[in-house]
Amino acid sequence: MANLETALKECLSSIDGASAAALVDYTSGMALGTLGGSKDFNLEVAAAGNTDVVRAKLRTMELLGLKEEIEDILITLSSQYHLIRLLKGRGGNGLFLYLVLDASRANLAMARHQLRRIETELEV
């Protein structure tokens, strides 16, 4: 089992193109841990803003009567991919992993696979 700091470091070191990672509580919008980002990319602001994305999708699914679970939410920009992975299992309710990837270097399939693996090893 990996602690939060180890899991975030693994996101940046094992996922090609990863430049920032965070564990976010979408009930409060607060980042519980962050790694990466820059002066031009405030990871705390991004985490809070993506909380709204998760809440909106969950609300829409409820209105539609969908009984599915969200695995990932992907936002593609011209130079970046933003990957949101809702945590499942013990202690993960209300949390998501947020990953920022350089689109020119990232492999989305591998990033999703690695993020899924990191999620299973994360001890919250």
Side-chain angles (χ1 to χ4, degrees):
M1 289 297 206
N3 67 23
L4 176 57
E5 183 180 345
T6 302
L8 293 177
K9 284 180 181 176
E10 188 169 347
C11 283
L12 294 189
S13 66
S14 70
I15 300 175
D16 287 340
S19 62
L23 179 68
V24 184
D25 178 340
Y26 64 79
T27 59
S28 69
M30 191 164 99
L32 304 177
T34 62
L35 190 61
S38 67
K39 65 180 181 83
D40 297 326
F41 188 85
N42 186 322
L43 198 47
E44 298 281 340
V45 171
N50 282 299
T51 293
D52 293 335
V53 172
V54 171
R55 288 179 187 162
K57 187 59 188 173
L58 289 170
R59 189 171 41 254
T60 302
M61 289 174 60
E62 183 180 338
L63 290 171
L64 292 171
L66 298 176
K67 304 297 183 209
E68 304 279 333
E69 287 188 349
I70 297 172
E71 288 184 10
D72 303 308
I73 298 173
L74 172 64
I75 300 167
T76 59
L77 306 176
S78 56
S79 66
Q80 296 177 339
Y81 299 135
H82 294 232
L83 189 56
I84 298 167
R85 176 145 189 101
L86 275 67
L87 299 188
K88 302 187 181 31
R90 194 185 81 225
N93 196 24
L95 302 177
F96 67 87
L97 280 168
Y98 172 58
L99 185 64
V100 179
L101 301 157
D102 177 337
S104 68
R105 296 183 12 229
N107 177 320
L108 278 176
M110 286 304 295
R112 289 185 70 218
H113 175 74
Q114 289 291 90
L115 204 53
R116 192 176 314 118
R117 183 187 54 75
I118 291 167
E119 172 196 2
T120 63
E121 296 172 0
L122 178 63
E123 186 176 293
V124 183

